[in-house]
Amino acid sequence: MSLNRENNILWEATESFNNGSEMARFIDWLKSEKQLIFNDYESLWQWSVDSNDQFWLSLWEFYEVIYEGVIEQVVTTDSMPGANWFTGTILNYAEHIFRNAADTRPALIYSDEAGEIHEMSWRELKSKVATLQHFLLKEGVQEGDRVAAFLCNTPEATIAMLATVSIGAVWSMCSPDFGTHSVLDRFNQIEPTVLIATTGYSYNGRNYNKSEAVTEIAQQLPSLKHLLLTGQDNTIAPQSFSIPVSVWEEVVNTEHDCVLHFKRVPFSSPLWVLYSSGTTGIPKAITQSHGGILLEHFKFLGLHGNVQPGDRYFWYSTTGWVMWNILQSSMLLGATAVLYEGSVSYPSMSKLWDLAESVQLTTFGVSASYIHSCMKKGISPKETHDLSSLKCIGSTGSVLSLSGAQWIYEHVKKDVWLASVSGGTDICSGFVAGNPMLPVYANALQCKALGCGLYAYDENGIPVMNEQGEMVITKPMPSMPIYFWGEKDGKRYHESYFDTYPGVWRHGDNIIIYENGSVEITGRSDATLNRMGVRIGTSEIYQSVEKNPEIKDSLVVNIELENGGFYMPLFVVLNDKSALTEDLKTKIKKALRSEYSPRHVPDEIIEVKEIPYTLSGKKMEIPVKRILKGDAIDKVSSRDAMKNPDSLIVFQQLHNKDHQ
C-alpha cells in the first residue's frame, strides 16, 4: 500500500525553510557548477547512487575539503567490500573542525544533572587540544597508534578525541557505565598505548567511583605505556602501575604555550574504532577512516540534518553510543556542540527540555524511547518551555511510533521539523535520513540518504516497493568500515554484511520503501516474527502495545515448535499502579487484531519487571528467544554488554518451569 500524501502528512517545510536549507543550496550549486538539474529529490538520489563517484566528488568540492595531493580515483571499484576512496590525497578530520573557530560563538556548551550551563570558547578548546596534543607527542604517540578513553560525555572527551586524531593517531572510547570485562574485550583488540580515564561519574543523582575499574583495566592492557586520569573520585595509587600516571588537571588545565598543528594522513587512514554490542561474543572493532567520516558527516549532518554555522546542535548520548561521534561532527558545519552528561529523567523528565530552552537549541536529538516516555508521563513542553529557537527534533535508536510523532506536534511545537533517522555504528551515520525539503509522513522516515543505494529485497533477492523486504545497500559508501581492527583475512567483516547477498551489504533490518520515497523500518530482520509463513515486524506490535498507558515497555518473540506450530509470547512491563488484568489483555489483543491482523495477536501475554537491553539501547529479542528454546544465559549474552543483565533470569526461569 502506498501512503496517501494528503492524509498522512505531519509537517511540510515553508518556502523560506526549504530555500534556506543546505539541501537546496547543494542543488543550486550542482546546477550552477556542474550543469546538473534535479526537479525532485528522487532524481537527485538516483544520480547520487548511479554516479556515486560524481556525487562524492561534488560533495568534496561543495564543502571545500582541505587536502594535499592529487585525486587519482574517487573510488577504485563499485564492488563491496574493497572500495578505496580518494586515492592520492591526505587530510585530517580535526583540521576541518577548527577551521570553523569563531569568537562570536562557543565551540562547546556543557551541562549535567546539576543544571549549570558551561560554555567553552573556540580559543579555550584550541588551547586545551594543543596542550594535550603536545603531551601525547611527548609520550611518543605517533600516527596510527591507538589512544583509548574511558570517559563521560564531557568536554574532556571532546578535547581528547580531537588531540588524538589531530596527530593521526586512532581514537576509541567506552562509557564508564560499561563493565570492566566489556571494556577489556574492546580495548585489548586495539592495543592502545595511552588510556585516558575518569575515576568517577554521577548518574540519576548518585555518584559512582570507578577507580577500582580503571586500575583493573589499565593493569590488564599489556600495550599501555601511559595512564592519564581525570575526575574527582581518584583513589588510584600511581605506584600500582609499572607505567607513568598523569593527572588531567596538571597536564591540560594549566597554562601552556602550545601551538596546535595537524598531521594530514591518507584518506583511508583509521580515524576511530567503534564497537558492536558484543552481546554474544567479542565485539566487532569497527574501524572507520578520516576521509570517509569527514565526507559522510558533511552529507548526513549538512545536507540531511541542515546543520549550519551558528546552530546549537544537541543529541542525547553516552560516550558508548555512535551518536556521541556524530554529535562531535556538528562542529564540522560550524555549529556549537551541546553536551549533556547524566540521566534524562533526573530530577524530572523535563530535564532535557530545560536544557533546550536554556541554551536555545536549534536541533534537539533524542531516542524514540525518550519521546515515548515523555508522552506517557503526560508532559507538554510547549506549555512550560520557550522552544522558539528549535528548528529540528531528531529521533533514532528505535522506531518512533505514530502516537510519538503526533505528541511532538501537539505538545512540543506544531511547526518543528521531525527528522527520524536510521543507520548504525557500522557506518557511523544513517542509511535513512531526514530531509529539510520533504514532507514528514506518518509512520515513515523521510528519505533514502544520498549516496546510499538502499533497497528492500524480497526472499529471492529482488527489489520490491510498498512491501516489507530485507534492507540492503548496493553501492559502497566512504564511511563503511575499512576493516575490523586486528582482523587479517576479513572473514568476520565479510560474514557480518556480505554472506547473504554476495557483493551487497545486508544490514539486518526489515524495511518498506514507499512510492513517495519515504521509508518505514519494521524491525530487525533476525528478530522477524515469521508466523505461518507471514513475516511480521516487531515494531508493529510494539507501536500498538506501548501506546496503552498501562504499558511501559514490551518485547515479543516467535518460537518455532517441533510439530510445525508456533508459540508467540508477548512480555510487558507495566507502569506504576497498573495490573495485567484480563480486560487489559483483551484490549491489547483486540487492538493488534484490528490494527494489523490475527497473526499479530500473541499466544500469551506475560508480565515481567524489565525488558533486557544492550548497552546501546537495543531490545534483546534474539537472546530471549534462544533462552526460551533452552540455551544458557551465558551462551547467548555477555553481562558486560547489557544495561540490565539480571533481566534475563526470568526468561530462564520460564523455560525451566515449562520443562519440569
Side-chain angles (χ1 to χ4, degrees):
M1 62 176 187
S2 60
L3 288 175
N4 180 289
R5 285 184 176 272
E6 288 71 31
N7 295 336
N8 290 277
I9 293 176
L10 299 176
W11 174 89
E12 286 187 281
T14 62
E15 185 176 356
S16 61
F17 189 86
N18 183 324
N19 294 339
S21 69
E22 286 290 283
M23 188 73 77
R25 193 168 73 87
F26 181 59
I27 291 172
D28 290 343
W29 182 89
L30 288 172
K31 181 178 179 180
S32 63
E33 299 296 324
K34 302 292 184 180
Q35 291 72 55
L36 293 168
I37 299 174
F38 301 102
N39 296 319
D40 56 28
Y41 179 78
E42 186 65 22
S43 61
L44 173 64
W45 174 82
Q46 195 66 59
W47 168 77
S48 75
V49 173
D50 292 343
S51 305
N52 66 337
D53 55 343
Q54 294 181 46
F55 166 70
W56 291 106
L57 179 60
S58 295
L59 194 74
W60 174 285
E61 296 172 352
F62 180 69
Y63 280 110
E64 299 179 346
V65 170
I66 305 168
Y67 72 103
E68 295 177 49
V70 176
I71 301 173
E72 297 165 352
Q73 285 182 283
V74 173
V75 60
T76 56
T77 178
D78 261 355
S79 64
M80 295 182 288
N84 285 317
W85 294 86
F86 290 88
T87 56
T89 64
I90 58 174
L91 44 68
N92 188 281
Y93 169 90
E95 184 174 6
H96 290 80
I97 295 279
F98 280 99
R99 74 172 174 179
N100 294 300
D103 294 334
T104 55
R105 56 178 181 265
L108 301 174
I109 296 177
Y110 164 67
S111 188
D112 56 19
E113 291 179 353
E116 294 184 11
I117 306 296
H118 305 274
E119 293 189 358
M120 180 175 288
S121 68
W122 279 101
R123 185 186 300 275
E124 183 180 0
L125 177 63
K126 188 173 184 179
S127 173
K128 290 182 181 297
V129 171
T131 301
L132 184 55
Q133 179 193 76
H134 175 76
F135 171 81
L136 293 174
L137 291 170
K138 183 168 62 75
E139 294 303 317
V141 178
Q142 301 177 6
E143 177 184 341
D145 287 347
R146 277 74 63 206
V147 173
F150 186 67
L151 294 170
C152 305
N153 187 15
T154 59
E156 284 82 359
T158 302
I159 293 163
M161 182 273 288
L162 291 172
T164 298
V165 304
S166 68
I167 58 176
V170 183
W171 172 256
S172 193
M173 180 160 58
C174 288
S175 174
D177 61 355
F178 280 27
T180 303
H181 294 297
S182 181
V183 175
L184 289 168
D185 280 348
R186 287 158 170 78
F187 288 167
N188 267 317
Q189 293 185 68
I190 64 169
E191 301 178 309
T193 58
V194 173
L195 174 65
I196 305 173
T198 183
T199 55
Y201 70 98
S202 298
Y203 187 83
N204 214 27
R206 178 182 170 188
N207 294 326
Y208 294 84
N209 190 312
K210 303 298 291 186
S211 293
E212 185 176 333
V214 171
T215 299
E216 184 178 352
I217 291 166
Q219 289 176 340
Q220 295 191 42
L221 289 174
S223 59
L224 212 60
K225 297 179 180 178
H226 205 110
L227 175 61
L228 178 59
L229 298 174
T230 183
Q232 298 180 358
D233 300 319
N234 187 5
T235 56
I236 294 176
Q239 57 267 29
S240 303
F241 303 94
S242 59
I243 58 173
V245 179
S246 300
V247 178
W248 180 279
E249 285 68 23
E250 297 172 0
V251 170
V252 181
N253 289 352
T254 54
E255 288 295 326
H256 295 277
D257 189 21
C258 300
V259 177
L260 181 62
H261 69 273
F262 304 100
K263 171 70 174 177
R264 293 177 181 170
V265 296
F267 185 99
S268 294
S269 294
L271 172 69
W272 53 44
V273 179
L274 309 178
Y275 302 95
S276 62
S277 60
T279 52
T280 57
I282 297 296
K284 297 177 291 190
I286 298 167
T287 310
Q288 291 150 347
S289 71
H290 265 260
I293 290 297
L294 182 68
L295 277 187
E296 178 61 35
H297 286 182
F298 275 141
K299 181 202 76 178
F300 182 66
L301 289 167
L303 302 186
H304 287 286
N306 199 34
V307 179
Q308 299 175 346
D311 281 356
R312 296 189 166 192
Y313 186 92
F314 168 77
W315 208 294
Y316 177 79
S317 178
T318 71
T319 52
W321 190 25
V322 67
M323 291 311 303
W324 181 88
N325 301 73
I326 293 173
L327 168 61
Q328 309 309 306
S329 286
S330 65
M331 292 187 285
L332 289 171
L333 284 304
T336 296
V338 180
L339 316 177
Y340 179 79
E341 172 61 24
S343 169
V344 298
S345 58
Y346 181 85
S348 76
M349 192 60 75
S350 295
K351 186 67 179 181
L352 296 187
W353 301 109
D354 295 343
L355 179 68
E357 178 181 34
S358 298
V359 306
Q360 297 182 300
L361 293 180
T362 52
T363 295
F364 180 83
V366 288
S367 66
S369 62
Y370 173 76
I371 294 171
H372 292 148
S373 295
C374 288
M375 177 180 68
K376 290 185 177 183
K377 285 289 185 181
I379 69 174
S380 185
K382 75 173 185 180
E383 304 294 339
T384 54
H385 294 77
D386 177 5
L387 302 174
S388 55
S389 63
L390 201 58
K391 298 189 300 184
C392 174
I393 292 180
S395 171
T396 192
S398 58
V399 178
L400 179 65
S401 67
L402 173 59
S403 57
Q406 290 172 331
W407 176 83
I408 287 172
Y409 286 103
E410 292 172 6
H411 293 280
V412 180
K413 195 175 183 181
K414 66 179 181 179
D415 60 347
V416 74
W417 167 37
L418 173 59
S420 291
V421 300
S422 180
T425 302
D426 313 78
I427 63 162
C428 196
S429 186
F431 298 113
V432 187
N435 190 321
M437 300 179 71
L438 295 179
V440 173
Y441 291 104
N443 277 338
L445 287 72
Q446 284 180 283
C447 66
K448 301 163 287 187
L450 292 174
C452 177
L454 180 76
Y455 296 92
Y457 273 11
D458 66 14
E459 293 180 354
N460 298 313
I462 306 299
V464 293
M465 293 283 290
N466 299 319
E467 61 182 82
Q468 180 174 278
E470 185 88 43
M471 188 180 94
V472 300
I473 294 88
T474 61
K475 290 286 188 77
M477 298 169 63
S479 68
M480 285 176 173
I482 48 178
Y483 41 69
F484 294 164
W485 192 276
E487 186 178 47
K488 303 298 183 185
D489 56 8
K491 183 174 182 290
R492 197 179 182 204
Y493 185 14
H494 190 277
E495 289 174 347
S496 296
Y497 310 113
F498 302 106
D499 253 10
T500 305
Y501 308 106
V504 174
W505 176 295
R506 171 188 173 273
H507 193 62
D509 284 335
N510 278 328
I511 63 170
I512 303 172
I513 301 176
Y514 292 107
E515 289 177 354
N516 62 22
S518 63
V519 179
E520 182 179 352
I521 310 292
T522 58
R524 292 293 295 174
S525 58
D526 53 7
T528 297
L529 310 173
N530 195 333
R531 212 171 188 214
M532 292 171 277
V534 176
R535 292 160 63 87
I536 300 170
T538 54
S539 67
E540 295 175 336
I541 291 179
Y542 299 147
Q543 287 190 40
S544 177
V545 171
E546 293 175 16
K547 69 183 179 184
N548 289 287
E550 301 92 341
I551 306 298
K552 184 177 182 180
D553 204 354
S554 63
L555 183 143
V556 66
V557 297
N558 187 51
I559 299 171
E560 300 79 16
L561 304 177
E562 291 181 2
N563 62 5
F566 303 89
Y567 170 59
M568 193 170 87
L570 170 67
F571 301 97
V572 296
V573 179
L574 299 177
N575 280 311
D576 295 341
K577 300 180 181 178
S578 296
L580 187 57
T581 62
E582 290 302 317
D583 286 345
L584 178 56
K585 291 180 182 179
T586 300
K587 183 170 73 166
I588 290 170
K589 292 179 178 180
K590 185 177 180 180
L592 285 167
R593 184 182 298 272
S594 63
E595 293 171 8
Y596 294 104
S597 79
R599 293 183 177 87
H600 287 73
V601 178
D603 296 304
E604 191 173 3
I605 302 177
I606 302 168
E607 180 182 356
V608 294
K609 295 299 182 184
E610 54 183 337
I611 299 301
Y613 280 89
T614 67
L615 285 171
S616 57
K618 304 293 185 184
K619 293 184 182 185
M620 296 177 62
E621 294 145 324
I622 296 304
V624 167
K625 179 176 178 177
R626 290 179 59 187
I627 290 170
L628 292 174
K629 293 180 73 172
D631 285 345
I633 289 177
D634 58 2
K635 185 178 178 181
V636 304
S637 68
S638 167
R639 287 185 64 87
D640 286 339
M642 291 184 61
K643 282 186 176 179
N644 50 352
D646 290 339
S647 62
L648 290 176
I649 295 173
V650 67
F651 301 101
Q652 185 79 69
Q653 293 170 339
L654 287 169
H655 168 78
N656 294 341
K657 180 181 177 182
D658 290 341
H659 290 80
Q660 285 179 347

